[in-house]
């Protein structure tokens, strides 16, 4: 067990280093950070001096080594754009993203599972057909358009919900400002959460539907039916339980991508999370923030996969035998 | 007894009057990006300066008509018989937000801080030799030579409190290369009309009125500053009533907003001209099929291009009417601009083709045009239009479009044959334009002369402007330089940008040529 975890940890470190290296290679082509840091009348020698001071003239491997050694100590430097420590910036913005992601996952899970069951059980009804066709629209429309559309309908025309921002926030811990405890905070969550969850929602719905249809064809369901069990018990106790195993796996894995792909939703709704911080940083080539964000996202994925692997290991005895034989 | 009663009544009256007098007028102000920092000398950037102008103050102020007006300095002039020395008389009775009095020491401290090595404002003070406090309300700035326009460089140099800066260890500008964080980046203490009440970078900042300010109380008593990056979201926030004042209104939304009830759109000229420039040195172009000579060196080719461009069509179609076509690379309020220079010819493709043939390129040539795609209003679309116009006279242009962070290094590193650039003139004087765009690239000159145009005669004339104290002689030189630039068609001016501000209800915000509206000067009609 310990050997397995240690080996997976070592692999994770390699993955993180690879991400850092690729990120660093890309940064050389995104543009000159100095260009967006200075006014139009800055003398060329002053720009050269800044480049020198920031270490942008150093050879690639020196810059990379400096970055890695600092990053290991949790130091990602100072943002070129906002001139604040990057680690602090990311931790300031993280609660907003996590809250949005959490609400989106819950929305996607509950509505997705509910609609999935409905469309599986009543698969010939008009309602199910309508939901299935609407879900096609949901996956094919870009997030950006959905967000702008929701803003137009619910903020501009109906004026029910705010079009941007996070509303009032409350400090619930030294490192956490939450929007969950104010009315404006909750109202601000609705549109971005729907926008962000829509894709996952349709994914889960379709997954639940097909799994459910699959399970309903199984022999044990037919036997249950033959035994005269009530339809309700068959559908929800026997069928649904077996349907949910893959759904939980997928949802766990999707949580990472929700955090990572919140970028578009956050931009459209001016949601002050790490995604919009990343976009603002890309525009002005704020390398320290971009690097830290990419490392952070990589870390999220690595951690999720690590946990999933360990859980599988615990759950599935075949892996344990394989590991022992391999060792 | 009765005296006490009277006093209480008076106090009560005063307090109720205060309540009505200071009925909180909050303006929620949205623009596309946030101020970068609160340290006033760290960045030389418009949005940052604009925000700082509400908290900090400068010695002189740039009015919406482009003129200079007194702010913390009430008067300024060169010293009798000493053209190298500027004397500033400071305003009396000014205090900082923390109650410290404003004195000459603060000005000396701030100007020295602004011209220190870590400051991004230092190029504006490059000619300063020393700053001296003569008495509490007089400051002398000694220049390296006569600098007749120095006060123009002061409109964005903010005055900090020396005592506060020393207490908080911010006498020097933040050294972010060394990974330093700095108190002044997050905290403020200015003399300006508003006090910073709350700040979350990129999210929101709140400013409340400073009761101790020297000027009349402003109509706007609270400002909530909201950066909203996405154009569509920013406009939606205005339409839904969540913000009152929007800057950076996209041109395609102006018409729609104008026709919306309760929303006013004000447009005005911005201090920024959009132009194209060519590589002009002897080496052949890198991106052309003409490999022996540089076709842009031929004045006939430049004249042909000048005639082939339909500036009116660009204004009508690409800019939806929101630009001012121009024949010169400075807007009207800049010293040196004249109506004759501004005139541009009617498009004449037939004549342009003849000129191309005369120049020896009857079949044209190929070239790559470098354009930014996220810096100026519709920058890429303007370049696309140019590609079409030049195609009509045989010049086949390949468009290379990049974000400004990749585009501008091409110009400073001379790696482009043909490029677009937008140029503002913060000093409101042509010399600023000549120094960076026209003068040969050497020393502190010609930083953005990416085409490497070089003319020793013009260089000498430009250098003379820096120290010429006789304004008539100076203006004659400026006119002569423009004459040469225009006659040689050294650059291809397209238009001056137009700014649009959208407001809700009865808020009136005048368009500022440097896009730096001051909300304490805003009026609210009933």
């Amino acid at each position: 067990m310990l050997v397995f975890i240690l080996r997976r940890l070592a692999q994770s470190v390699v993955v993180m280093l690879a991400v850092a290296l690729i990120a660093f290679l890309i940064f050389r082509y995104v543009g000159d950070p100095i260009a967006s840091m200075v006014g139009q009348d800055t003398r060329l020698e002053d720009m050269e001096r800044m480049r020198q001071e920031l270490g942008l003239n150093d050879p690639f491997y020196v810059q990379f080594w400096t970055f890695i050694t600092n990053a290991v100590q949790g130091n990602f430097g100072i943002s070129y754009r906002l001139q604040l420590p990057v680690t602090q910036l990311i931790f300031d913005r993280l609660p907003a993203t996590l809250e949005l992601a959490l609400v989106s996952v819950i929305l996607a899970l509950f509505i997705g599972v509910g609609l999935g069951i409905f469309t599986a059980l009543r698969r010939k009804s008009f309602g199910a057909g309508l939901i299935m066709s609407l879900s096609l629209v949901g996956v094919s429309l870009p997030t950006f358009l959905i967000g702008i559309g929701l803003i137009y309908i619910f903020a501009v025309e109906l004026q029910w919900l705010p079009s941007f921002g996070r509303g009032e926030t409350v400090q619930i811990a030294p490192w956490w400002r939450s929007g969950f405890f104010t009315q404006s905070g909750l109202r601000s969550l609705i549109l971005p959460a729907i926008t962000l969850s829509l894709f996952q929602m349709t994914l889960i719905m379709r997954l639940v539907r097909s799994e459910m249809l699959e399970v309903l064809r199984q022999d044990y369901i037919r036997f249950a039916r033959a035994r005269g069990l009530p339809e309700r018990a068959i559908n929800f106790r026997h069928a649904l339980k077996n349907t949910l195993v893959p759904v939980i796996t997928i949802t766990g894995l999707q949580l990472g991508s929700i955090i990572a792909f919140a970028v578009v939703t956050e931009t459209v709704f001016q949601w002050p999370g790490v995604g919009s911080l990343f976009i603002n940083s890309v525009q002005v080539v704020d390398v320290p923030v971009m690097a830290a964000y990419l490392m952070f996202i990589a870390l999220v994925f690595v951690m999720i996969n690590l946990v999933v692997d360990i859980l599988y290991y615990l759950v599935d005895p075949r892996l344990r035998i394989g590991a022992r034989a391999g060792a | 007894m009765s005296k006490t009663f009277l006093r209480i009544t008076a106090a009560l009256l005063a307090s109720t009057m205060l309540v009505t007098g200071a009925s909180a007028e909050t303006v929620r102000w949205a623009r596309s990006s946030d101020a970068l920092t609160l340290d006033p000398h760290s960045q030389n950037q418009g949005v940052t300066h604009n925000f700082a102008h509400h908290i900090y103050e400068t010695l002189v102020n740039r009015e919406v008509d482009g003129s200079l007006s007194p702010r913390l300095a009430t008067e300024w002039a060169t010293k009798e018989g000493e053209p190298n020395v500027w004397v500033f008389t400071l305003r009396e009775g000014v205090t900082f937000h923390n109650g410290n009095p404003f004195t000459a020491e603060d000005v000396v401290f701030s100007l020295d801080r602004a011209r220190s090595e870590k400051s991004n404002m230092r190029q504006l003070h490059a000619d300063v030799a020393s700053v001296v406090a003569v008495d509490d309300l007089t400051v002398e700035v000694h220049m390296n030579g006569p600098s007749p326009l120095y006060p123009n460089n002061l409109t964005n140099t903010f005055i900090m409190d020396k005592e506060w800066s020393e207490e908080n260890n911010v006498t020097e500008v933040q050294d972010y290369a060394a990974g330093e964080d700095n108190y002044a980046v997050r905290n403020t203490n200015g003399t300006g009309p508003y006090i910073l009440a709350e700040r979350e970078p990129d999210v929101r900042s709140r400013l409340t009125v400073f009761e101790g300010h020297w000027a009349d109380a402003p109509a706007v008593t609270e400002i909530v500053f909201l950066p909203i990056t996405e154009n569509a979201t920013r406009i939606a926030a205005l339409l839904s009533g969540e913000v009152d004042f929007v800057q950076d209104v996209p041109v395609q939304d102006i018409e729609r907003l104008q026709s919306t009830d309760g929303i006013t759109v004000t447009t005005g000229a911005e201090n920024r001209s959009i132009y194209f420039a060519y590589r002009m040195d002897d080496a052949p172009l890198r991106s052309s099929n003409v490999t022996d000579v540089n076709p842009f060196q031929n004045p006939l080719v430049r004249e042909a291009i000048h005639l082939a461009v339909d500036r009116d069509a660009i204004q009508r179609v690409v800019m939806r009417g929101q630009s001012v076509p121009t024949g010169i690379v400075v807007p009207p309020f800049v010293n040196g601009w004249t109506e004759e220079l501004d005139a541009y010819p009617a498009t004449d493709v037939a004549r342009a083709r003849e000129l191309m043939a005369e120049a020896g390129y009857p079949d044209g040539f190929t070239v790559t045009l470098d354009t930014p795609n996220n810096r100026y209003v519709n920058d890429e679309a303007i370049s696309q239009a140019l590609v079409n116009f030049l195609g009509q006279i045989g010049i086949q242009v390949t468009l290379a479009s990049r974000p400004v962070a990749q585009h501008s290094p091409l110009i400073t590193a001379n790696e482009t044959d043909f490029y677009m650039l937008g140029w503002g003139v913060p000093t409101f004087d042509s010399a600023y334009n000549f120094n960076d765009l026209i003068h040969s690239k050497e020393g502190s000159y010609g930083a953005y002369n990416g085409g490497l145009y070089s003319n020793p005669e013009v260089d000498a004339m430009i250098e003379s402007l820096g120290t010429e104290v006789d304004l008539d002689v100076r203006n004659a030189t400026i006119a002569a330089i423009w004459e040469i630039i225009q006659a040689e068609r050294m650059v291809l001016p397209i238009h001056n940008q137009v700014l649009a501000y959208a407001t809700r209800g009865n808020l009136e915000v005048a368009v500022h040529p440097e896009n730096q509206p001051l909300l304490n000067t805003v009026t609210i009609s009933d």
Side-chain angles (χ1 to χ4, degrees):
Chain A
M1 175 74 188
L2 193 65
V3 178
F4 173 80
I5 292 178
L6 282 179
R7 197 174 335 143
R8 290 295 288 109
L9 273 177
Q11 284 168 357
S12 303
V13 170
V14 173
V15 169
M16 295 293 290
L17 281 175
V19 168
L21 184 66
I22 294 168
F24 245 76
L25 284 171
I26 296 170
F27 293 155
R28 298 171 76 79
Y29 300 100
V30 287
D32 182 7
I34 304 291
S36 32
M37 290 167 74
V38 299
Q40 66 174 17
D41 48 0
T42 303
R43 303 269 168 257
L44 291 182
E45 59 259 41
D46 285 335
M47 291 167 77
E48 192 46 44
R49 179 181 52 80
M50 287 171 75
R51 202 167 279 129
Q52 195 68 41
E53 281 172 5
L54 291 172
L56 296 172
N57 286 341
D58 294 347
F60 172 72
Y61 58 88
V62 173
Q63 291 188 45
F64 184 63
W65 177 249
T66 317
F67 172 75
I68 291 292
T69 46
N70 285 331
V72 168
Q73 300 159 34
N75 175 13
F76 287 93
I78 300 267
S79 159
Y80 294 165
R81 183 174 66 101
L82 295 166
Q83 313 196 349
L84 295 169
V86 173
T87 319
Q88 179 206 328
L89 268 177
I90 293 212
F91 278 103
D92 280 352
R93 299 294 205 94
L94 201 53
T97 298
L98 292 182
E99 285 182 4
L100 178 62
L102 184 70
V103 174
S104 301
V105 167
I106 292 173
L107 270 183
L109 204 58
F110 278 86
I111 301 180
V113 171
L115 291 180
I117 296 171
F118 176 76
T119 47
L121 295 182
R122 303 253 183 288
R123 69 174 189 279
K124 294 207 175 88
S125 72
F126 172 74
L130 186 73
I131 290 167
M132 290 304 288
S133 359
L134 278 183
S135 78
L136 267 185
V137 179
V139 281
S140 48
L141 270 188
T143 314
F144 181 82
L145 267 186
I146 293 172
I148 292 291
L150 289 177
I151 289 177
Y152 183 75
I153 298 168
F154 293 101
V156 176
E157 288 302 320
L158 299 171
Q159 309 211 341
W160 289 350
L161 295 166
S163 58
F164 74 97
R166 209 181 160 204
E168 292 292 321
T169 50
V170 181
Q171 193 90 40
I172 54 168
W175 61 89
W176 199 283
R177 287 191 74 84
S178 175
F180 282 157
F181 302 98
T182 64
Q183 205 201 356
S184 74
L186 289 174
R187 277 158 41 91
S188 304
L189 250 172
I190 300 174
L191 293 184
I194 291 176
T195 309
L196 184 56
S197 67
L198 222 49
F199 182 79
Q200 311 295 337
M201 199 186 287
T202 41
L203 187 80
I204 291 174
M205 184 193 106
R206 287 172 165 264
L207 189 72
V208 168
R209 179 176 179 274
S210 59
E211 283 287 328
M212 190 102 177
L213 287 176
E214 183 71 35
V215 169
L216 285 176
R217 272 199 294 273
Q218 303 272 324
D219 286 344
Y220 72 94
I221 298 288
R222 267 190 261 156
F223 286 133
R225 218 167 252 143
R227 272 160 60 202
L229 286 181
E231 197 67 7
R232 206 183 163 74
I234 297 171
N235 287 340
F236 289 95
R237 185 132 21 102
H238 297 272
L240 183 61
K241 223 192 236 167
N242 287 310
T243 306
L244 285 186
V245 179
V247 173
I248 289 166
T249 316
I250 294 285
T251 311
L253 288 174
Q254 290 292 323
L255 183 66
S257 57
I258 279 202
I259 295 174
F261 299 128
V263 171
V264 176
T265 306
E266 287 188 8
T267 311
V268 172
F269 289 95
Q270 191 66 31
W271 188 263
V274 283
S276 60
L277 177 70
F278 177 66
I279 285 292
N280 287 343
S281 307
V282 170
Q283 271 161 4
V284 295
V285 200
D286 191 345
V287 173
V289 177
M290 288 157 70
Y293 176 81
L294 289 182
M295 294 304 287
F296 167 72
I297 291 298
L299 187 68
V300 169
F301 276 93
V302 163
M303 296 286 270
I304 288 176
N305 278 307
L306 188 65
V307 171
V308 167
D309 281 356
I310 291 173
L311 285 180
Y312 277 168
Y313 184 87
L314 293 177
V315 168
D316 194 335
R318 282 170 297 180
L319 277 175
R320 258 173 291 177
I321 295 162
R324 212 172 291 143
Chain B
M1 167 75 194
S2 66
K3 233 180 203 172
T4 325
F5 177 74
L6 269 178
R7 215 174 281 157
I8 290 171
T9 328
L12 270 174
L13 269 175
S15 68
T16 46
M17 274 164 70
L18 254 178
V19 168
T20 44
S23 68
E25 277 290 353
T26 302
V27 168
R28 293 160 300 171
W29 169 18
R31 70 183 302 178
S32 60
S33 58
D34 198 4
L36 298 173
T37 168
L38 296 175
D39 187 326
H41 305 135
S42 156
Q43 298 274 7
N44 186 8
Q45 192 247 10
V47 182
T48 310
H49 288 328
N50 194 181
F51 188 76
H53 268 293
H54 292 84
I55 300 167
Y56 287 99
E57 288 182 295
T58 51
L59 290 177
V60 295
N61 188 37
R62 178 75 62 192
E63 291 290 323
V64 288
D65 63 1
S67 65
L68 291 182
S69 66
R71 206 167 176 193
L72 283 178
T74 50
E75 280 167 55
W76 53 93
T78 48
K79 206 170 178 180
E80 245 346 88
E82 283 186 67
N84 291 9
V85 179
W86 275 97
V87 184
F88 293 87
T89 309
L90 306 182
R91 191 177 292 279
E92 262 180 89
V94 176
T95 54
F96 285 94
H97 295 163
N98 66 355
N100 286 356
F102 159 75
T103 66
E105 283 301 323
D106 298 314
V107 176
V108 174
F109 166 76
S110 300
L111 292 185
D112 282 340
R113 190 176 188 269
R115 64 198 191 90
S116 68
E117 184 159 312
K118 296 283 186 295
S119 162
N120 254 341
M121 302 301 295
R122 67 195 286 253
Q123 59 269 19
L124 291 164
H125 304 277
D127 298 329
V128 174
S130 66
V131 188
V132 187
V134 178
D135 57 51
D136 262 5
L137 293 174
T138 314
V139 171
E140 283 184 3
V141 181
H142 295 255
M143 313 297 292
N144 289 324
S147 300
L149 292 168
Y150 179 63
N152 280 286
N153 295 8
L154 289 169
T155 55
N156 287 318
T157 301
F158 299 96
I159 305 302
M160 294 172 80
D161 179 11
K162 185 183 180 195
E163 208 181 309
W164 179 83
S165 305
E166 280 166 356
E167 272 166 24
N168 295 299
N169 201 17
V170 289
T171 51
E172 279 177 48
V173 179
Q174 180 190 28
D175 184 2
Y176 44 76
E180 265 178 34
D181 194 6
N182 183 334
Y183 187 79
V185 172
R186 283 171 281 112
N187 301 276
T188 59
N189 178 39
T191 60
Y194 298 97
I195 300 174
L196 182 77
E198 193 185 322
R199 172 147 173 96
E200 246 184 286
D202 273 356
V203 182
R204 61 185 258 140
S205 305
R206 202 162 56 81
L207 302 170
T208 52
V209 74
F210 171 44
E211 303 286 354
H213 191 244
W214 50 270
D216 294 337
V220 176
T221 51
E222 187 188 41
I223 301 169
V224 181
F225 182 75
L226 301 157
I228 304 180
T229 321
E230 201 52 52
N231 282 339
T233 312
R234 195 161 63 251
I235 298 303
L238 179 74
L239 290 170
S240 67
E242 290 163 89
V243 300
D244 308 300
F245 167 39
V246 169
Q247 243 175 307
D248 312 310
V249 178
V251 286
Q252 58 270 25
D253 288 322
I254 291 176
E255 232 166 276
R256 147 137 213 228
L257 289 175
Q258 268 165 343
S259 63
T260 308
D261 276 344
I263 288 177
T264 317
V265 182
T266 319
T267 57
E270 184 187 0
N271 184 351
R272 186 176 298 283
S273 310
I274 303 297
Y275 73 100
F276 291 90
Y278 324 96
R279 187 171 194 92
M280 301 268 253
D281 62 347
D282 298 329
L285 301 178
R286 288 155 222 245
S287 61
S288 179
N289 58 356
V290 177
T291 50
D292 49 344
V293 290
N294 175 357
F296 286 139
Q297 266 196 335
N298 191 328
L300 295 174
V301 171
R302 303 199 297 271
E303 183 67 24
I305 295 174
H306 184 65
L307 288 174
V309 177
D310 189 344
R311 294 171 179 78
D312 296 318
I314 293 178
Q315 188 226 23
R316 208 170 51 242
V317 182
V318 181
M319 305 302 288
R320 305 201 189 202
Q322 301 301 328
S323 70
V324 183
T326 176
I328 180 176
V329 191
V330 283
F333 27 65
V334 169
N335 181 33
W337 180 92
T338 65
E339 213 162 303
E340 297 81 66
L341 292 169
D342 194 56
Y344 54 95
T347 313
D348 190 345
V349 178
R351 174 78 192 121
R353 280 213 196 95
E354 281 173 32
L355 285 168
M356 286 293 286
E358 230 176 284
Y361 304 101
D363 303 321
F365 56 88
T366 64
V367 69
T368 296
L369 169 62
D370 294 304
T371 179
N373 56 19
N374 64 350
R375 177 67 183 88
Y376 312 110
V377 182
N378 294 344
D379 38 15
E380 191 178 355
I382 298 167
S383 295
Q384 264 157 3
L386 189 76
V387 169
N388 290 327
F389 296 138
L390 298 190
Q392 292 179 334
I393 59 168
I395 305 179
Q396 289 161 37
V397 181
T398 312
L399 197 60
S401 174
R402 297 181 179 85
V404 68
Q406 292 170 35
H407 176 75
S408 65
L410 296 179
I411 299 170
T412 48
N414 320 320
E415 283 170 2
T416 171
D417 288 338
F418 190 17
Y419 59 92
M420 176 198 258
L421 191 61
W423 202 252
V425 190
T427 59
F428 288 67
D429 182 87
S430 296
Y432 181 89
N433 193 307
F434 301 150
N435 286 343
D436 282 321
L437 307 182
I438 305 297
H439 193 289
S440 306
K441 209 171 209 174
E442 56 187 39
S444 59
Y445 288 106
Y448 285 84
N449 179 359
L452 297 174
Y453 171 85
S454 179
N455 181 339
E457 191 194 336
V458 173
D459 286 356
M461 287 162 83
I462 293 173
E463 281 159 39
S464 80
L465 294 177
T467 50
E468 178 58 66
V469 276
D470 185 333
L471 286 184
D472 288 336
V473 174
R474 194 173 178 278
N475 285 338
T477 312
I478 289 179
I481 298 172
W482 274 124
E483 207 62 50
I484 299 171
I485 295 173
Q486 297 295 87
E488 294 198 8
R489 304 272 179 243
M490 272 169 46
V491 288
L492 178 68
I494 300 296
H495 59 232
N496 299 320
Q497 280 192 171
V498 163
L499 290 170
Y501 297 169
T503 54
R504 280 198 83 78
N506 36 25
L507 194 64
E508 282 167 38
V509 187
V511 171
H512 188 279
E514 289 194 283
N515 205 5
Q516 298 195 3
L518 276 175
L519 292 203
N520 56 318
T521 62
V522 157
T523 55
I524 300 173
S525 57
D526 294 317

